[in-house]
Coordinates of all heavy atoms in Angstrom, one line a residue:
M11 N 96.5 32.9 165.8 CA 97.1 34.0 165.1 C 98.6 33.8 164.8 O 99.3 33.4 165.7 CB 96.8 35.3 165.9 CG 97.3 36.5 165.2 SD 96.7 38.0 166.1 CE 98.2 38.5 167.0
T12 N 99.0 34.1 163.7 CA 100.5 34.0 163.3 C 101.2 35.3 163.4 O 100.6 36.3 163.0 CB 100.6 33.5 161.9 OG1 99.9 32.3 161.7 CG2 102.1 33.2 161.5
T13 N 102.3 35.3 164.1 CA 103.1 36.6 164.2 C 104.2 36.5 163.2 O 105.0 35.6 163.2 CB 103.6 36.7 165.6 OG1 102.5 36.7 166.5 CG2 104.4 38.0 165.8
T14 N 104.3 37.5 162.4 CA 105.4 37.6 161.4 C 106.5 38.5 162.0 O 106.2 39.6 162.5 CB 104.9 38.2 160.1 OG1 103.8 37.4 159.7 CG2 106.0 38.2 159.1
I15 N 107.7 38.1 161.9 CA 108.8 38.9 162.4 C 109.1 39.9 161.3 O 109.4 39.5 160.2 CB 110.0 38.0 162.7 CG1 109.7 37.0 163.8 CG2 111.2 38.9 163.1 CD1 110.8 36.0 164.1
P16 N 109.1 41.2 161.6 CA 109.5 42.2 160.6 C 110.9 41.9 160.1 O 111.7 41.5 160.8 CB 109.4 43.5 161.4 CG 108.5 43.2 162.6 CD 108.7 41.8 162.9
K17 N 111.1 42.3 158.8 CA 112.4 42.1 158.2 C 113.5 42.7 159.0 O 114.6 42.1 159.1 CB 112.3 42.7 156.8 CG 113.6 42.4 156.0 CD 113.5 43.1 154.6 CE 114.8 43.0 153.9 NZ 114.9 43.9 152.8
E18 N 113.3 43.9 159.5 CA 114.4 44.5 160.2 C 114.8 43.8 161.4 O 116.0 43.7 161.8 CB 114.0 46.0 160.6 CG 113.8 46.9 159.5 CD 112.4 46.8 158.9 OE1 111.6 45.9 159.3 OE2 112.1 47.6 158.0
I19 N 113.9 43.2 162.1 CA 114.2 42.4 163.3 C 114.9 41.1 162.9 O 115.9 40.7 163.5 CB 112.9 42.1 164.2 CG1 112.5 43.3 164.9 CG2 113.2 41.0 165.2 CD1 111.3 43.1 165.8
A20 N 114.5 40.5 161.8 CA 115.2 39.3 161.3 C 116.6 39.6 161.0 O 117.5 38.9 161.4 CB 114.4 38.7 160.1
V21 N 116.8 40.7 160.4 CA 118.2 41.1 160.0 C 119.0 41.4 161.3 O 120.1 41.0 161.4 CB 118.2 42.4 159.1 CG1 119.6 42.9 158.9 CG2 117.6 42.0 157.7
A22 N 118.4 42.1 162.2 CA 119.1 42.4 163.5 C 119.4 41.1 164.2 O 120.4 41.0 164.9 CB 118.2 43.3 164.3
T23 N 118.5 40.2 164.2 CA 118.7 38.9 164.8 C 119.9 38.3 164.3 O 120.8 37.8 165.0 CB 117.5 38.0 164.6 OG1 116.4 38.6 165.2 CG2 117.7 36.6 165.3
D24 N 120.0 38.3 162.9 CA 121.2 37.7 162.3 C 122.5 38.5 162.7 O 123.5 37.9 163.0 CB 121.1 37.8 160.8 CG 120.2 36.8 160.2 OD1 119.8 35.9 161.0 OD2 119.8 36.9 159.1
T25 N 122.4 39.8 162.8 CA 123.5 40.6 163.2 C 124.0 40.2 164.6 O 125.2 40.0 164.8 CB 123.1 42.1 163.3 OG1 122.7 42.6 162.0 CG2 124.3 43.0 163.8
R26 N 123.1 40.0 165.5 CA 123.5 39.7 166.8 C 123.9 38.2 167.0 O 124.4 37.8 168.0 CB 122.3 40.0 167.8 CG 122.3 41.5 167.8 CD 121.0 42.1 168.4 NE 121.2 43.6 168.3 CZ 120.2 44.4 168.3 NH1 119.0 44.0 168.2 NH2 120.4 45.7 168.2
N27 N 123.7 37.4 166.0 CA 124.3 36.1 166.0 C 125.5 36.0 165.0 O 125.9 34.9 164.7 CB 123.2 35.1 165.6 CG 122.2 34.9 166.7 OD1 122.6 34.7 167.9 ND2 120.9 35.1 166.4
A28 N 126.0 37.1 164.6 CA 127.2 37.1 163.8 C 127.0 36.4 162.5 O 127.9 35.8 161.9 CB 128.4 36.7 164.5
Q29 N 125.7 36.3 162.0 CA 125.5 35.6 160.7 C 124.8 36.6 159.7 O 123.9 36.3 159.0 CB 124.5 34.5 160.9 CG 125.1 33.4 161.8 CD 124.0 32.4 162.3 OE1 122.9 32.6 162.0 NE2 124.5 31.4 162.9
T30 N 125.3 37.8 159.8 CA 124.7 38.8 159.0 C 125.4 39.1 157.7 O 126.6 38.9 157.6 CB 124.6 40.1 159.8 OG1 124.1 41.2 158.9 CG2 126.0 40.5 160.3
P31 N 124.7 39.5 156.7 CA 125.4 39.9 155.4 C 126.1 41.3 155.6 O 126.8 41.7 154.8 CB 124.2 40.0 154.4 CG 123.0 40.3 155.2 CD 123.2 39.6 156.5
L32 N 125.8 42.0 156.7 CA 126.4 43.3 156.9 C 127.9 43.0 157.3 O 128.2 42.2 158.1 CB 125.7 44.0 158.1 CG 124.3 44.3 157.9 CD1 123.7 44.9 159.2 CD2 124.1 45.3 156.7
D33 N 128.8 43.8 156.7 CA 130.2 43.6 156.9 C 130.7 43.8 158.3 O 131.7 43.3 158.7 CB 131.1 44.3 155.9 CG 130.9 45.8 156.1 OD1 130.1 46.3 156.9 OD2 131.6 46.6 155.4
W34 N 129.9 44.6 159.1 CA 130.4 44.9 160.5 C 129.7 44.0 161.5 O 130.1 44.0 162.7 CB 130.1 46.3 160.8 CG 128.7 46.8 160.4 CD1 128.3 47.4 159.2 CD2 127.5 46.7 161.2 NE1 127.0 47.6 159.2 CE2 126.4 47.2 160.4 CE3 127.2 46.2 162.5 CZ2 125.1 47.3 160.9 CZ3 125.9 46.3 162.9 CH2 124.9 46.8 162.1
G35 N 128.8 43.1 161.1 CA 128.0 42.3 162.1 C 128.9 41.4 162.9 O 128.6 41.2 164.1
S36 N 129.9 40.9 162.4 CA 130.7 39.9 163.1 C 131.5 40.6 164.2 O 131.9 39.9 165.2 CB 131.6 39.1 162.2 OG 132.5 40.0 161.6
A37 N 131.7 41.9 164.2 CA 132.4 42.6 165.2 C 131.4 43.1 166.3 O 131.9 43.7 167.3 CB 133.2 43.8 164.6
A38 N 130.2 42.9 166.2 CA 129.2 43.5 167.1 C 129.4 42.9 168.5 O 129.6 41.7 168.7 CB 127.8 43.1 166.6
A39 N 129.4 43.8 169.5 CA 129.6 43.5 170.9 C 128.4 42.6 171.4 O 128.5 41.9 172.3 CB 129.8 44.7 171.7
C40 N 127.3 42.8 170.7 CA 126.1 42.1 171.1 C 125.9 40.7 170.5 O 125.0 40.0 170.9 CB 124.8 42.9 170.8 SG 124.7 43.2 169.0
A41 N 126.9 40.3 169.7 CA 126.8 38.9 169.1 C 126.7 37.9 170.2 O 127.6 37.9 171.1 CB 128.0 38.7 168.2
G42 N 125.7 37.1 170.2 CA 125.5 36.1 171.3 C 124.8 36.6 172.5 O 124.5 35.8 173.4
S43 N 124.4 37.9 172.5 CA 123.7 38.4 173.7 C 122.2 38.0 173.6 O 121.7 37.6 172.5 CB 123.7 39.9 173.7 OG 125.0 40.4 173.8
V44 N 121.5 38.1 174.7 CA 120.1 37.8 174.7 C 119.3 38.9 174.0 O 119.4 40.0 174.3 CB 119.6 37.7 176.2 CG1 118.1 37.4 176.2 CG2 120.3 36.6 176.9
L45 N 118.7 38.5 172.9 CA 118.0 39.5 172.0 C 117.0 40.3 172.8 O 116.8 41.5 172.5 CB 117.3 38.7 170.9 CG 118.2 38.4 169.7 CD1 117.5 37.7 168.6 CD2 118.8 39.7 169.1
S46 N 116.3 39.7 173.7 CA 115.2 40.4 174.4 C 115.7 41.7 175.1 O 115.0 42.6 175.3 CB 114.5 39.5 175.4 OG 115.3 39.0 176.3
L47 N 117.0 41.7 175.4 CA 117.6 42.9 176.0 C 117.4 44.1 175.1 O 117.2 45.2 175.5 CB 119.1 42.7 176.3 CG 119.5 41.8 177.4 CD1 121.0 41.7 177.5 CD2 118.9 42.1 178.8
F48 N 117.6 43.8 173.8 CA 117.6 44.9 172.8 C 116.2 45.2 172.3 O 116.1 46.2 171.6 CB 118.5 44.5 171.6 CG 120.0 44.4 172.0 CD1 120.5 43.3 172.7 CD2 120.8 45.5 171.8 CE1 121.8 43.3 173.1 CE2 122.1 45.5 172.2 CZ 122.7 44.4 172.9
F49 N 115.3 44.4 172.6 CA 113.9 44.7 172.1 C 112.9 44.7 173.2 O 111.8 44.3 173.1 CB 113.5 43.6 171.1 CG 114.4 43.6 169.8 CD1 115.4 42.7 169.6 CD2 114.2 44.6 168.9 CE1 116.2 42.8 168.5 CE2 115.0 44.7 167.7 CZ 116.0 43.8 167.6
S50 N 113.3 45.2 174.3 CA 112.4 45.4 175.5 C 111.8 46.8 175.4 O 112.5 47.8 175.7 CB 113.3 45.2 176.7 OG 112.4 45.2 177.8
S51 N 110.6 46.9 175.0 CA 110.0 48.2 174.8 C 109.0 48.6 175.9 O 108.4 49.7 175.8 CB 109.3 48.3 173.4 OG 108.3 47.3 173.4
G52 N 108.9 47.8 176.9 CA 107.9 48.1 177.9 C 108.4 49.1 178.9 O 109.5 49.6 178.8
T53 N 107.6 49.4 179.9 CA 107.9 50.4 180.8 C 108.1 49.9 182.3 O 108.3 50.7 183.2 CB 106.9 51.6 180.8 OG1 105.6 51.0 181.1 CG2 106.9 52.3 179.5
S54 N 108.1 48.6 182.4 CA 108.2 48.0 183.8 C 109.7 48.2 184.2 O 110.6 48.4 183.3 CB 107.8 46.6 183.8 OG 108.9 45.8 183.2
G55 N 109.9 48.0 185.4 CA 111.3 48.1 185.9 C 112.2 47.1 185.3 O 113.4 47.5 184.9
M56 N 111.8 45.9 185.1 CA 112.7 44.9 184.5 C 112.9 45.2 183.0 O 114.0 45.0 182.5 CB 112.0 43.5 184.6 CG 112.0 42.9 186.0 SD 113.6 42.8 186.7 CE 114.3 41.5 185.8
E57 N 111.9 45.7 182.3 CA 112.1 46.1 180.9 C 113.0 47.2 180.7 O 113.9 47.3 179.8 CB 110.7 46.3 180.3 CG 109.9 45.1 180.1 CD 108.5 45.3 179.8 OE1 107.9 46.3 180.3 OE2 107.9 44.5 179.1
K58 N 112.9 48.2 181.6 CA 113.8 49.3 181.6 C 115.3 48.9 181.9 O 116.2 49.3 181.3 CB 113.4 50.4 182.6 CG 112.2 51.2 182.2 CD 111.9 52.2 183.2 CE 110.6 53.0 182.8 NZ 110.2 54.0 183.8
L59 N 115.4 48.0 182.8 CA 116.7 47.4 183.1 C 117.3 46.7 181.9 O 118.5 46.8 181.7 CB 116.7 46.5 184.3 CG 116.7 47.1 185.7 CD1 116.5 46.1 186.8 CD2 118.0 47.9 186.0
A60 N 116.5 46.0 181.2 CA 117.0 45.2 180.1 C 117.5 46.2 179.0 O 118.6 46.0 178.4 CB 115.8 44.4 179.5
T61 N 116.8 47.3 178.8 CA 117.2 48.3 177.8 C 118.5 49.0 178.3 O 119.4 49.2 177.5 CB 116.1 49.4 177.7 OG1 115.0 48.7 177.1 CG2 116.5 50.5 176.7
L62 N 118.6 49.2 179.6 CA 119.9 49.8 180.1 C 121.1 48.8 179.9 O 122.2 49.3 179.5 CB 119.8 50.2 181.6 CG 118.9 51.4 181.9 CD1 118.7 51.6 183.4 CD2 119.5 52.7 181.2
R63 N 120.8 47.6 180.1 CA 121.9 46.6 179.9 C 122.3 46.5 178.4 O 123.5 46.4 178.1 CB 121.4 45.2 180.3 CG 122.3 44.1 180.1 CD 123.6 44.2 181.0 NE 124.6 43.2 180.6 CZ 125.8 43.5 180.2 NH1 126.2 44.8 180.2 NH2 126.6 42.6 179.8
A64 N 121.3 46.6 177.5 CA 121.6 46.6 176.1 C 122.5 47.8 175.8 O 123.5 47.7 175.0 CB 120.3 46.7 175.3
K65 N 122.1 49.0 176.3 CA 122.9 50.2 176.0 C 124.3 50.1 176.6 O 125.2 50.6 176.0 CB 122.2 51.4 176.6 CG 120.9 51.7 175.9 CD 120.2 52.9 176.5 CE 118.9 53.2 175.8 NZ 118.2 54.4 176.4
D66 N 124.5 49.4 177.7 CA 125.8 49.2 178.3 C 126.6 48.3 177.3 O 127.8 48.6 177.1 CB 125.7 48.4 179.6 CG 125.4 49.3 180.8 OD1 125.5 50.5 180.6 OD2 125.1 48.8 181.9
I67 N 126.0 47.3 176.7 CA 126.7 46.5 175.8 C 127.2 47.3 174.5 O 128.3 47.3 174.1 CB 125.9 45.3 175.3 CG1 125.7 44.4 176.5 CG2 126.5 44.5 174.2 CD1 124.6 43.3 176.3
C68 N 126.3 48.2 174.1 CA 126.6 49.0 172.9 C 127.7 50.0 173.3 O 128.5 50.3 172.4 CB 125.3 49.9 172.6 SG 123.9 48.9 171.9
E69 N 127.8 50.4 174.5 CA 128.8 51.4 174.9 C 130.2 51.0 174.5 O 131.0 51.8 174.0 CB 128.7 51.6 176.4 CG 129.6 52.7 176.9 CD 129.0 54.1 176.6 OE1 127.8 54.2 176.5 OE2 129.8 55.0 176.4
G70 N 130.5 49.8 174.6 CA 131.9 49.3 174.2 C 131.9 48.6 172.9 O 132.9 47.9 172.6
C71 N 130.9 48.8 172.1 CA 130.9 48.1 170.8 C 131.7 48.8 169.7 O 131.6 50.0 169.5 CB 129.4 48.0 170.3 SG 129.3 47.2 168.7
P72 N 132.6 48.1 169.0 CA 133.5 48.7 168.1 C 132.8 49.2 166.8 O 133.3 49.9 166.0 CB 134.5 47.7 167.7 CG 133.9 46.4 168.1 CD 132.9 46.7 169.2
V73 N 131.6 48.7 166.6 CA 130.8 49.1 165.4 C 129.6 49.9 165.7 O 128.6 49.9 164.9 CB 130.5 47.8 164.5 CG1 131.7 47.2 164.0 CG2 129.7 46.8 165.3
R74 N 129.6 50.6 166.8 CA 128.5 51.3 167.3 C 128.0 52.3 166.3 O 126.8 52.4 166.0 CB 128.8 52.0 168.6 CG 127.7 52.7 169.2 CD 128.1 53.3 170.6 NE 127.0 54.1 171.1 CZ 127.0 54.7 172.3 NH1 128.0 54.6 173.0 NH2 126.0 55.4 172.7
Q75 N 128.8 53.1 165.7 CA 128.4 54.2 164.8 C 127.8 53.5 163.5 O 126.8 54.0 163.0 CB 129.6 55.1 164.4 CG 129.1 56.3 163.6 CD 128.2 57.2 164.4 OE1 128.5 57.6 165.5 NE2 127.0 57.5 163.8
K76 N 128.4 52.5 163.0 CA 127.9 51.8 161.8 C 126.5 51.3 162.1 O 125.6 51.4 161.3 CB 128.8 50.7 161.4 CG 130.1 51.2 160.7 CD 130.9 50.0 160.2 CE 132.2 50.6 159.6 NZ 133.0 49.5 159.0
C77 N 126.3 50.7 163.3 CA 125.0 50.1 163.7 C 124.0 51.2 163.8 O 122.9 51.1 163.3 CB 125.2 49.4 165.0 SG 123.7 48.8 165.7
L78 N 124.4 52.3 164.4 CA 123.4 53.5 164.5 C 123.1 54.0 163.2 O 121.9 54.3 162.9 CB 124.1 54.6 165.4 CG 123.2 55.8 165.6 CD1 121.8 55.5 166.2 CD2 123.9 56.8 166.4
D79 N 124.1 54.2 162.3 CA 123.8 54.7 161.0 C 122.8 53.8 160.2 O 121.9 54.2 159.5 CB 125.1 54.9 160.2 CG 126.0 56.0 160.7 OD1 125.5 56.8 161.5 OD2 127.2 56.0 160.4
W80 N 123.1 52.5 160.4 CA 122.2 51.5 159.7 C 120.8 51.6 160.2 O 119.9 51.6 159.3 CB 122.8 50.1 160.0 CG 122.1 49.0 159.4 CD1 122.1 48.6 158.1 CD2 121.2 48.0 160.1 NE1 121.3 47.4 158.0 CE2 120.8 47.1 159.2 CE3 120.8 47.9 161.4 CZ2 119.9 46.1 159.5 CZ3 120.0 46.9 161.8 CH2 119.6 46.0 160.8
A81 N 120.6 51.7 161.4 CA 119.2 51.8 162.0 C 118.6 53.1 161.6 O 117.4 53.1 161.3 CB 119.3 51.7 163.5
L82 N 119.4 54.2 161.5 CA 118.8 55.5 161.1 C 118.4 55.4 159.6 O 117.4 55.9 159.2 CB 119.8 56.6 161.3 CG 120.0 56.9 162.8 CD1 121.2 57.9 163.0 CD2 118.8 57.4 163.5
D83 N 119.3 54.8 158.8 CA 119.0 54.7 157.3 C 117.8 53.9 157.1 O 117.0 54.3 156.2 CB 120.2 54.0 156.6 CG 121.4 54.9 156.5 OD1 121.3 56.1 156.7 OD2 122.5 54.4 156.1
L84 N 117.5 52.9 157.9 CA 116.4 52.0 157.7 C 115.1 52.5 158.4 O 114.1 51.9 158.3 CB 116.7 50.6 158.1 CG 117.6 49.8 157.2 CD1 117.8 48.4 157.7 CD2 117.1 49.7 155.8
E85 N 115.4 53.6 159.2 CA 114.3 54.2 160.0 C 113.6 53.1 160.9 O 112.4 53.0 161.0 CB 113.3 54.9 159.1 CG 113.9 56.0 158.3 CD 112.9 56.7 157.4 OE1 111.7 56.4 157.5 OE2 113.3 57.6 156.6
I86 N 114.4 52.3 161.6 CA 113.9 51.2 162.4 C 113.3 51.9 163.7 O 113.9 52.7 164.3 CB 115.0 50.2 162.8 CG1 115.6 49.6 161.5 CG2 114.5 49.2 163.8 CD1 116.7 48.7 161.7
E87 N 112.1 51.5 163.9 CA 111.3 52.1 165.0 C 111.3 51.4 166.3 O 110.5 51.7 167.2 CB 109.9 52.4 164.5 CG 109.9 53.3 163.3 CD 108.5 53.5 162.7 OE1 107.6 52.7 163.1 OE2 108.3 54.4 161.9
Y88 N 112.1 50.3 166.4 CA 112.1 49.5 167.7 C 113.5 49.0 167.9 O 114.3 49.0 167.0 CB 111.1 48.4 167.6 CG 110.9 47.9 166.2 CD1 111.9 47.0 165.6 CD2 109.8 48.2 165.4 CE1 111.8 46.6 164.3 CE2 109.7 47.8 164.1 CZ 110.7 47.0 163.6 OH 110.6 46.5 162.3
G89 N 113.7 48.7 169.2 CA 115.0 48.1 169.5 C 116.1 49.1 169.8 O 116.0 50.2 169.4
V90 N 117.1 48.6 170.5 CA 118.3 49.4 170.7 C 119.3 49.1 169.6 O 119.7 48.0 169.4 CB 118.9 49.1 172.1 CG1 120.2 49.8 172.3 CG2 117.9 49.5 173.2
Y91 N 119.8 50.2 169.0 CA 120.8 50.1 168.0 C 121.8 51.3 168.2 O 121.4 52.4 168.4 CB 120.2 50.2 166.5 CG 119.4 49.1 166.1 CD1 118.0 49.1 166.3 CD2 120.0 47.9 165.5 CE1 117.3 48.0 166.0 CE2 119.2 46.9 165.1 CZ 117.9 46.9 165.4 OH 117.1 45.8 165.0
G92 N 123.1 51.0 168.1 CA 124.1 52.0 168.3 C 124.0 52.7 169.6 O 124.4 53.8 169.8
G93 N 123.4 52.0 170.6 CA 123.3 52.5 172.0 C 122.1 53.4 172.2 O 121.9 54.0 173.3
L94 N 121.3 53.6 171.2 CA 120.1 54.5 171.3 C 118.8 53.7 171.1 O 118.7 52.8 170.3 CB 120.1 55.6 170.3 CG 121.3 56.5 170.3 CD1 121.1 57.6 169.2 CD2 121.6 57.1 171.6
D95 N 117.8 54.0 172.0 CA 116.5 53.4 171.8 C 115.7 54.2 170.8 O 116.2 55.2 170.3 CB 115.8 53.3 173.2 CG 115.5 54.7 173.8 OD1 115.1 55.6 173.1 OD2 115.6 54.8 175.0
P96 N 114.6 53.7 170.4 CA 113.8 54.4 169.3 C 113.5 55.9 169.6 O 113.7 56.7 168.7 CB 112.5 53.6 169.2 CG 112.9 52.2 169.7 CD 113.9 52.5 170.8
R97 N 113.2 56.2 170.8 CA 112.9 57.6 171.1 C 114.1 58.5 171.0 O 114.1 59.6 170.5 CB 112.3 57.8 172.5 CG 110.7 57.7 172.4 CD 110.1 57.7 173.7 NE 109.9 56.3 174.1 CZ 109.8 55.9 175.3 NH1 109.9 56.7 176.3 NH2 109.6 54.6 175.6
E98 N 115.3 57.9 171.4 CA 116.5 58.7 171.3 C 116.9 58.9 169.9 O 117.4 59.9 169.5 CB 117.6 57.9 172.1 CG 117.4 58.0 173.6 CD 118.3 57.0 174.4 OE1 118.7 55.9 173.8 OE2 118.6 57.3 175.5
R99 N 116.7 57.8 169.1 CA 117.0 58.0 167.6 C 116.1 59.0 167.0 O 116.6 59.8 166.1 CB 116.9 56.6 166.9 CG 118.0 55.6 167.3 CD 118.1 54.5 166.4 NE 116.9 53.7 166.2 CZ 116.5 52.7 167.0 NH1 117.3 52.3 167.9 NH2 115.4 52.0 166.7
E100 N 114.9 59.0 167.4 CA 113.9 60.0 166.8 C 114.3 61.4 167.2 O 114.3 62.3 166.3 CB 112.5 59.7 167.5 CG 111.4 60.1 166.7 CD 110.1 59.7 167.3 OE1 109.7 58.5 167.2 OE2 109.4 60.5 167.9
R101 N 114.8 61.6 168.4 CA 115.2 62.9 168.8 C 116.5 63.3 168.1 O 116.6 64.5 167.7 CB 115.5 63.0 170.4 CG 114.2 63.0 171.1 CD 114.4 63.4 172.6 NE 115.2 62.4 173.3 CZ 114.6 61.5 174.1 NH1 113.3 61.4 174.2 NH2 115.4 60.6 174.7
L102 N 117.4 62.4 167.9 CA 118.6 62.6 167.1 C 118.3 63.1 165.7 O 118.8 64.1 165.2 CB 119.5 61.4 167.1 CG 120.8 61.5 166.3 CD1 121.7 62.6 166.9 CD2 121.5 60.1 166.2
V103 N 117.4 62.4 165.0 CA 117.0 62.8 163.7 C 116.3 64.2 163.7 O 116.7 65.0 162.8 CB 116.0 61.7 163.1 CG1 115.4 62.2 161.8 CG2 116.7 60.4 162.9
A104 N 115.5 64.4 164.7 CA 114.8 65.7 164.7 C 115.9 66.8 165.0 O 115.8 67.9 164.3 CB 113.8 65.7 165.9
R105 N 116.9 66.6 165.8 CA 117.9 67.6 166.1 C 118.7 67.9 164.8 O 119.0 69.0 164.5 CB 118.9 67.1 167.2 CG 118.4 67.5 168.6 CD 119.5 67.4 169.6 NE 120.3 66.1 169.5 CZ 120.0 65.0 170.2 NH1 119.0 65.0 171.0 NH2 120.8 64.0 170.1
E106 N 119.1 66.8 164.1 CA 119.9 66.9 162.9 C 119.1 67.7 161.8 O 119.6 68.5 161.1 CB 120.4 65.6 162.4 CG 121.4 65.0 163.3 CD 122.0 63.7 162.9 OE1 121.4 63.0 162.0 OE2 123.0 63.2 163.5
A107 N 117.8 67.4 161.8 CA 116.9 68.1 160.8 C 116.8 69.6 161.1 O 116.7 70.4 160.2 CB 115.5 67.4 160.7
A108 N 116.8 69.9 162.4 CA 116.6 71.3 162.8 C 117.9 72.1 162.7 O 117.9 73.3 162.6 CB 116.1 71.3 164.2
A109 N 119.0 71.4 162.6 CA 120.4 72.1 162.6 C 120.7 72.7 161.2 O 120.1 72.3 160.2 CB 121.4 71.1 162.9
Ligands
LIG27 S1 126.0 49.1 168.8 FE1 124.9 47.8 170.1 S2 123.2 46.9 168.9 FE2 124.7 47.7 167.5 S3 126.1 46.1 167.0 FE3 127.0 47.1 168.7 S4 126.3 46.1 170.5 FE4 125.0 45.5 168.8

């Protein structure tokens, strides 16, 4: 079976390797980080720790808001972007829609 990497993940991969067409990608705090930290969607202790580590990296990122806006615009349903995991982004969108 062949696994195809979704376009959004491919773009995010580029972002995190500072080879992105996005103008803010080269300033990303996660450039060079281990990608699996940002795409750990499981519920085991190690997977949760990976997600927390990713969020820590985002915390000090100078392009955090741009990254979050980008993920929200593209409605990306996986991975940590702008310091938020998919469920947190979903709640943010729901709150903004209700406001
Ligand atoms: S906010 Fe997080 S995922 Fe987005 S560019 Fe910065 S460090 Fe990377």
